[in-house]
Amino acid sequence: MRNPKILVLDRGDALVQQVRGVTDGIRPRPEVASCTRVGSVGDVLTEEGPFDVLVAGPSLGTRAGLARLEVIHDELPAMSLLLAFNRRPEARLREIVRAGAIDLLQLPIDDEMLLESMQRAIELSRQQQVAAPASAAGAANSGIGRVFTTSSATGGCGKTFYATNLAYFLTHYTGKRTCIVDLDLQFGEVSTALRLRPRFTIFDALQRDEEDDSALADHIEEYMVRHDTGIYLLPAPKDPSEADRISPPDVTRIIEAIRTKFDYVIVDTPAALTEIVLAAFDLSDELFTLATLDLPSVRNMGVFLNTLDKLKIPSEHVQLILNKAEKDVGIDIEQITKLFPQGFMSVLPYAREVSKSINVGMPVMAFNPNAEVSRRIGAGLRSYLPEDVRERIPEVSTNSHNRFLGRLFRRSAVATNSNA
Ligand SMILES: Nc1ncnc2c1ncn2[C@@H]1O[C@H](COP(=O)(O)OP(=O)(O)O)[C@@H](O)[C@H]1O
Ligand SMILES: [Mg+2]
């Protein structure tokens, strides 16, 4: 068992001294690192981590500090977070809970209590680390494919672009069977984006008059078209009038049938919260919600997320992606990320390679894997791969992701300092 690693984040050094003192007796003996500049915590976490425990000092007890801890907790859920404070923390309880703190340490604290708390934090982190890979493997082996859905409140954000790249990414790195279902029933464009000429569509598949759904599953592949990269596609209807005849239960049947035959089902949707789309959301393991870097799109993303919340779609399975990000468009990424404390899984640049790849019917990750946009998509999606293939994502992707993380942390640090 490796030695536990503890990071103490506080402006002064009294807390880290006390933590060092009490944990000295724990076996295996923990390594205790400290970070006094709150602005560099992102770098310390990525460069010196992984840490089992993060002890955040009183300077982090502000709202902005907690918002930053929440981002850290989302990125590193297995790390236990302890929050130390002098008087009552300035933030509300809800914010403390959201930040993911497992314990509150009222300072000054006696050694015995601190030790007990540290031991518990180390133990909890261990359990988390054991639990996480096991559940990921379970999903892949259950014989029920995982469903990933792209969505957005406004059109043209890049749902179809992202869906094709997500499908390519998964099939390329895992070699597993991956299918895109085009649920943009009226104006579906996945077949155009991949330059495919389908003979059949989702509508034709639903015309089969089956006595049971296992027969639908057995024949579903006959209605699909296969792309050169190995991705399968169940296309949208050829005619919008056919689209009108597809009901939400039809969508449920189709996705359920496909997931018995494919490891990954990627669902592309129109920019609307119709019953058809909600039927797909209900079956989705993960929802990728896109917005572009303009105020209407970002504002509508906020409305969209509120609606998902009311529909009781668990927010931890909703990943935000900011697409077509460019400099000097009047709003900057920092402003936007402040509005969404849950953070963005990826920020993707506007890239000419995307149009070029679409013109040849290829996902940009296949057409130009080294383009920044491709690397950023890969870095964001890395954690969806089984652990043994993750290393195959070029190291540079991880770095660019870390740089982005680093920026996020630094950005919040500025907010903390100005609040404190
Ligand atoms: N990061 C990007 N850089 C450049 N062009 C992009 C990018 N993302 C998407 N596009 C282009 O923007 C247009 C809209 O994207 P699309 O995926 O069709 O959006 P949606 O499906 O959300 O309506 C397409 O022409 C697509 O090629
Ligand atoms: Mg689309």
Side-chain angles (χ1 to χ4, degrees), residues 59-79:
S59 47
L60 275 288
T62 59
R63 295 183 77 166
L66 287 170
R68 175 147 38 106
L69 290 175
E70 188 181 337
V71 174
I72 295 174
H73 179 66
D74 282 352
E75 289 295 330
L76 305 166
M79 181 173 68

Side-chain angles (χ1 to χ4, degrees), residues 51-55 77-82 100 102 120-122 124-125:
F51 289 94
D52 304 85
V53 181
L54 174 66
V55 185
M79 181 173 68
S80 298
L81 174 65
L82 298 175
I102 59 156
R120 195 168 149 263
I122 293 168
L124 272 174
S125 165

Side-chain angles (χ1 to χ4, degrees), residues 160-180 194 227-232 264 266 361-370 374 377-378 381 385 392-393:
T160 302
F161 148 78
Y162 198 78
T164 55
N165 281 285
L166 172 60
Y168 171 76
F169 175 84
L170 292 170
T171 192
H172 179 72
Y173 283 104
T174 66
K176 296 203 170 179
R177 280 163 59 80
T178 304
C179 167
I180 306 178
L194 294 175
H227 187 257
D228 286 345
T229 53
I231 308 168
Y232 287 79
Y264 298 109
I266 314 302
M362 279 284 173
V364 69
M365 294 185 95
F367 180 71
N368 196 338
N370 291 321
S374 305
I377 300 172
L381 289 171
L385 292 177
R392 287 181 49 210
I393 304 289

Side-chain angles (χ1 to χ4, degrees), residues 42-307:
D43 293 337
V44 176
L45 284 170
T46 48
E47 280 156 27
E48 294 174 34
F51 289 94
D52 304 85
V53 181
L54 174 66
V55 185
S59 47
L60 275 288
T62 59
R63 295 183 77 166
L66 287 170
R68 175 147 38 106
L69 290 175
E70 188 181 337
V71 174
I72 295 174
H73 179 66
D74 282 352
E75 289 295 330
L76 305 166
M79 181 173 68
S80 298
L81 174 65
L82 298 175
L83 192 63
F85 59 95
N86 286 322
R87 288 171 311 256
R88 240 171 70 80
E90 184 190 297
R92 285 177 303 151
L93 193 58
R94 177 141 180 267
E95 288 157 343
I96 296 172
V97 171
R98 281 223 211 128
I102 59 156
D103 206 354
L104 296 177
L105 312 174
Q106 163 110 54
L107 301 177
I109 186 169
D110 65 51
D111 283 356
E112 202 181 323
M113 268 177 79
L114 182 60
L115 174 63
E116 192 191 302
S117 198
M118 297 303 309
Q119 279 172 322
R120 195 168 149 263
I122 293 168
E123 182 52 36
L124 272 174
S125 165
R126 283 267 142 79
Q127 290 171 8
Q128 287 274 329
Q129 285 164 32
V130 174
S135 60
N141 296 330
S142 61
I144 297 183
R146 302 187 73 191
V147 181
F148 296 136
T149 299
T150 59
S151 61
S152 73
T154 41
C157 290
K159 293 180 294 299
T160 302
F161 148 78
Y162 198 78
T164 55
N165 281 285
L166 172 60
Y168 171 76
F169 175 84
L170 292 170
T171 192
H172 179 72
Y173 283 104
T174 66
K176 296 203 170 179
R177 280 163 59 80
T178 304
C179 167
I180 306 178
V181 182
D182 194 346
L183 267 200
D184 188 351
L185 297 176
Q186 306 272 0
F187 302 109
E189 280 190 321
V190 182
S191 55
T192 318
L194 294 175
R195 283 204 157 208
L196 294 168
R197 291 172 179 278
R199 284 183 62 200
F200 301 112
T201 72
I202 185 173
F203 181 77
D204 302 310
L206 286 164
Q207 295 313 297
R208 291 180 67 95
D209 200 7
E210 310 286 10
E211 59 287 2
D212 66 31
D213 284 346
S214 74
L216 177 63
D218 288 341
H219 292 277
I220 194 74
E221 205 177 305
E222 297 162 23
Y223 296 89
M224 296 179 180
V225 48
R226 190 171 176 276
H227 187 257
D228 286 345
T229 53
I231 308 168
Y232 287 79
L233 167 67
L234 184 63
K238 293 196 169 122
D239 189 323
S241 70
E242 291 176 349
D244 290 342
R245 291 164 58 193
I246 296 176
S247 68
D250 287 338
V251 169
T252 307
R253 271 181 68 214
I254 284 281
I255 296 177
E256 291 287 17
I258 298 175
R259 79 194 303 194
T260 65
K261 302 288 172 186
F262 285 80
D263 302 288
Y264 298 109
V265 185
I266 314 302
V267 183
D268 189 24
T269 66
L273 282 173
T274 60
E275 292 296 324
I276 295 279
V277 170
L278 293 178
F281 285 5
D282 275 345
L283 294 179
S284 299
D285 293 281
E286 209 77 8
L287 204 61
F288 297 100
T289 300
L290 288 97
T292 47
L293 196 54
D294 54 277
L295 276 182
S297 179
V298 170
R299 189 174 301 129
N300 283 320
M301 175 185 250
V303 176
F304 189 88
L305 295 177
N306 281 337
T307 312

